[in-house]
């Protein structure tokens, strides 16, 4: 099973832009931090720009947050890069002649909607500023050790 890293990579990009605001903010530099490629970074930055979370200027490696980090939630970033993709997925190929196979899809869909709603409420409560603060605190703890 493949997992999407778009959300974590998008948060990584936004945090990098804030923390390294005076450094090289090129897609190549950010990609090196993510250990990915610059094309992926540019694609994600495009999604973040369309969602009005990031501003960029063509030909200039000077991305900036479109609003304060404490006004960008994890849910905002999720919606920007995952659109309407749910967190959990039901296997649609089950045996309808079986009691479990014939009913599991509807049962799980109802449960997954509840999980999605709860997750989105939690994501709405977590800001980019919270995440950046945690990153910087962890770095300070590593430096003290």
């Amino acid at each position: 099973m493949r997992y999407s890293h778009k959300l974590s990579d998008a948060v990584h990009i936004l945090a990098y832009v804030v923390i390294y605001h005076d450094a090289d903010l090129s897609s190549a530099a950010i990609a090196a931090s993510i250990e990915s490629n610059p094309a992926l970074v540019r694609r994600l930055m495009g999604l973040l720009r369309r969602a009005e979370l990031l501003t960029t200027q063509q030909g200039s490696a000077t991305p900036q947050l479109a609003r304060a980090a404490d006004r960008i939630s994890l849910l905002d970033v999720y919606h920007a890069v995952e659109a309407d993709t749910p967190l959990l997925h039901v296997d649609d190929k089950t045996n309808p002649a079986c009691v479990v196979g014939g009913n599991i899809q509807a049962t799980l869909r109802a449960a997954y909607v509840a999980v999605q709603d709860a997750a989105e409420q939690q994501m709405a409560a977590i800001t980019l500023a919270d995440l950046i603060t945690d990153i910087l605190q962890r770095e300070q703890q590593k430096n003290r050790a």
Side-chain angles (χ1 to χ4, degrees):
M1 175 190 307
R2 286 189 48 102
Y3 297 100
S4 172
H5 297 147
K6 288 191 281 188
L7 177 59
S8 63
D9 290 347
V11 171
H12 191 133
I13 290 166
L14 294 171
Y16 190 98
V17 165
V18 172
I19 292 169
Y20 288 105
H21 59 90
D22 288 330
D24 180 4
L25 296 178
S26 67
S27 57
I30 297 170
S33 178
I34 295 173
E35 293 193 351
S36 185
N37 63 65
L40 171 78
V41 170
R42 286 190 296 274
R43 260 193 318 276
L44 289 173
M45 288 176 86
L47 293 172
L48 295 168
R49 186 178 56 250
R50 281 190 280 288
E52 300 180 350
L53 301 179
L54 191 67
T55 61
T56 60
Q57 291 181 319
Q58 193 167 5
S60 174
T62 56
Q64 296 180 342
L65 296 185
R67 58 183 186 249
D70 64 352
R71 293 188 44 233
I72 297 174
S73 72
L74 187 57
L75 183 61
D76 293 330
V77 181
Y78 171 73
H79 284 306
V81 299
E82 294 290 355
D84 294 325
T85 304
L87 295 170
L88 304 172
H89 307 277
V90 175
D91 181 356
D92 286 323
K93 188 177 179 186
T94 58
N95 182 352
C98 170
V99 171
V100 176
N103 295 290
I104 192 73
Q105 294 159 344
T107 298
L108 285 178
R109 279 191 185 95
Y112 288 1
V113 165
V115 170
Q116 183 81 30
D117 290 345
E120 288 190 13
Q121 286 179 14
Q122 284 296 116
M123 286 190 282
I126 299 168
T127 68
L128 179 60
D130 297 331
L131 298 171
I132 291 169
T133 297
D134 191 71
I135 290 167
L136 295 173
Q137 286 174 344
R138 288 175 187 276
E139 184 61 19
Q140 284 178 344
Q141 288 172 354
K142 283 189 339 190
N143 290 336
R144 281 190 231 134

